[in-house]
Amino acid sequence: MKRYYWVRLYALLLMIVLFAVSILVAAAGARGILSEAARQRGIVRGVQALSDAETILARRISDIAREAGAGQYERTAALAAGGGGSSLSEEDLEDTFRQGYCDAIRGAFGTDGEGLCAGLNSYLSGYAGVITVSDDPRTSFTRKRDAKGRLTKFAIENVTVCYDHPISGKRTDTVSFDIQFPDAVFHAGSDELFEYCMVSRKGIYITGRTSSIIGNVYAGSHKADECREAEVEYGETGTYGGINILSTQLGIKADRIVSGGDINANGSFVVISPADGRLECFGQRINEREGFSKDARVTLNGTFHQIGVMGKKDPEAYTETVRLVDTSLSRLSQIEIYYDSDNDGGYSQRYRKLMSASDIEIRHDFTGIIATPGNVIVHNDVNIEGIILCGDRIYTMGNNNIVANPAVAREIIGGEFAGAYGMRAGDYIGGMKKAGLTEPEYYVLPYK
């Protein structure tokens, strides 16, 4: 009986000890769980804090970019409107704007990486040292340019953001910020299109006495069953449309010529040379055909690209031009009446607009925009300055000087956007832009 008593006593003591041990183990486990939970919460807070800090930086850089864009647009627009500025192309002005835009943003931070890091860090002062931008030698502004030297990308790269908490520990993240360019337009209309003096969907036919063409030229093509009897003697074979020159002497100065058909010189002497830069000529073939009493000769001081057998890089410029022309001529069929600004007593702009749903004949010198879905016939001894846009063919009859002048077309379209009286040419020419600054949806896009 006594032995049984002691066994029970030992069992009771053992249970008490085991219970105490289990309580201690449970308490330690609970502390471990709580500690791990706190650590996990610290990690979550750190990740969220880093994300919030990067959002703050993106917003502050966006504010700087927005202000820089508005200021630089005003300066560049003043240049475009000032003495000699109107002679600058839209491409030149856009490049000037982009350069100044990047310089203004960079200037807001200083010129070196240390100044950039310090400026970015100042935007996180609300975190009282928990979140900072580290002094990282990799942090820098970067610019990228295309083959023409134009700015295509501007960014702040390798910004190291640090989260340092006494309990949660230290975390870092590296982020870059791609800064978008606003869409800046300084000349109303389309300078790319206005560099052309003649744009014809189905071909250009030139004859008569000596003539000259100064400006880019686009002459499309047409099907064989669309041939006209008057065009037979120009010498079209195989392909139809394009540029056809009959019994004349012709000088062309251009930087880009596109002929959807052949370039045919029948009994003609033709010299084609660059206007400002390098001449790029696209066509099916160049054909020199002897006339009844005249030899034929074509001198091309530029590069000829034969459509259909071009290299990998050549079609880009060609398709770019075709796309431009397709867009520009896409609305001509909407012209429903004949309109000549010279017959409009309320019209006050300097330059003339002539639009018609049917063929147009030009019998006297003309400065302005001519647009029709039909044909344009330029009579003898007529000079044209501006642009001819037609959905069919252009015929010039001799002793003609046809010259592109972007400033003339810009003034007409700009006046229309400003509310000038009269039928609007811009309603029937696709791709016309209004001068002004359009902000991007996001000025800054973070990336890693």
Side-chain angles (χ1 to χ4, degrees), residues 281-419:
C281 182
F282 300 86
Q284 298 290 349
R285 294 166 298 184
I286 296 178
N287 299 318
E288 300 174 336
R289 303 181 184 281
E290 292 186 6
F292 292 110
S293 60
K294 296 181 181 178
D295 293 337
R297 183 178 177 184
V298 177
T299 301
L300 175 65
N301 298 317
T303 304
F304 181 77
H305 307 275
Q306 188 173 356
I307 297 171
V309 295
M310 294 184 288
K312 291 182 179 180
K313 293 183 179 179
D314 297 328
E316 182 178 349
Y318 171 71
T319 54
E320 184 181 275
T321 302
V322 171
R323 190 181 305 115
L324 170 69
V325 169
D326 285 345
T327 299
S328 302
L329 301 185
S330 62
R331 299 180 185 175
L332 291 183
S333 60
Q334 297 176 24
I335 300 174
E336 296 179 343
I337 62 172
Y338 177 89
Y339 175 83
D340 184 348
S341 60
D342 271 5
N343 300 327
D344 187 343
Y347 185 77
S348 59
Q349 288 186 270
R350 283 193 297 174
Y351 302 122
R352 188 176 172 189
K353 295 186 287 190
L354 181 54
M355 294 169 278
S356 176
S358 57
D359 295 351
I360 291 176
E361 295 190 44
I362 309 297
R363 299 180 181 276
H364 305 285
D365 290 354
F366 184 99
T367 302
I369 294 176
I370 299 167
T372 176
N375 303 285
V376 174
I377 300 97
V378 182
H379 284 268
N380 295 314
D381 308 321
V382 172
N383 302 310
I384 294 178
E385 184 176 5
I387 186 169
I388 302 172
L389 298 164
C390 85
D392 207 311
R393 298 156 168 89
I394 296 174
Y395 299 94
T396 70
M397 310 311 295
N399 194 30
N400 307 119
N401 298 299
I402 301 176
V403 181
N405 189 335
V408 168
R410 288 178 201 149
E411 186 168 327
I412 291 173
I413 301 300
E416 292 179 347
F417 279 122

Side-chain angles (χ1 to χ4, degrees), residues 5 25 44 107 126 141 144 165 206 214 223 250 291 298 315 348 354 367-368 381 385 387 395 409 434 443:
Y5 171 78
V25 169
V44 171
F141 286 101
K144 290 186 178 178
H165 195 275
I206 301 165
I214 301 175
K223 298 176 182 178
L250 176 67
V298 177
S348 59
L354 181 54
T367 302
D381 308 321
E385 184 176 5
I387 186 169
Y395 299 94
K434 183 178 181 180
Y443 267 97

Side-chain angles (χ1 to χ4, degrees), residues 74-87:
E74 288 184 5
R75 289 186 290 272
T76 310
L79 173 66
S86 62
S87 64

Side-chain angles (χ1 to χ4, degrees), residues 27-69:
R31 283 196 300 272
I33 291 172
L34 291 173
S35 177
E36 178 62 21
R39 190 179 71 84
Q40 292 294 335
R41 285 196 298 272
I43 292 173
V44 171
R45 281 197 299 269
V47 171
Q48 186 60 51
L50 289 173
S51 177
D52 291 345
E54 291 166 6
T55 300
I56 290 171
L57 293 176
R59 288 175 180 169
R60 295 303 299 272
I61 298 168
S62 294
D63 292 341
I64 292 171
R66 183 177 293 105
E67 184 177 344

Side-chain angles (χ1 to χ4, degrees), residues 101-237:
Y101 172 71
C102 295
D103 290 343
I105 294 172
R106 185 184 179 100
F109 291 96
T111 57
D112 54 19
E114 184 177 349
L116 175 57
C117 292
L120 293 170
N121 189 56
S122 69
Y123 300 146
L124 303 178
S125 57
Y127 280 95
V130 177
I131 296 284
T132 58
V133 173
S134 302
D135 287 336
D136 189 332
R138 299 177 303 155
T139 305
S140 63
F141 286 101
T142 61
R143 308 186 195 202
K144 290 186 178 178
R145 302 176 184 272
D146 61 15
K148 296 180 180 179
R150 296 183 63 237
L151 280 167
T152 57
K153 181 181 174 70
F154 183 54
I156 300 175
E157 293 190 338
N158 301 315
V159 177
T160 300
V161 185
C162 178
Y163 172 81
D164 194 357
H165 195 275
I167 296 176
S168 305
K170 186 174 183 179
R171 297 183 64 82
T172 62
D173 191 28
T174 300
V175 63
S176 297
F177 300 97
D178 192 3
I179 302 173
Q180 306 300 294
F181 292 101
D183 184 14
V185 178
F186 300 95
H187 295 313
S190 169
D191 257 23
E192 189 178 2
L193 174 66
F194 295 159
E195 293 292 336
Y196 287 77
C197 60
M198 291 193 288
V199 177
S200 171
R201 192 180 290 282
K202 294 185 179 181
I204 296 174
Y205 297 81
I206 301 165
T207 191
R209 288 186 291 156
T210 301
S211 294
S212 66
I213 295 171
I214 301 175
N216 294 344
V217 176
Y218 181 94
S221 61
H222 60 260
K223 298 176 182 178
D225 59 9
E226 294 182 286
C227 287
R228 296 168 178 169
E229 185 177 347
E231 297 166 1
V232 173
E233 57 184 324
Y234 282 86
E236 293 175 305
T237 57

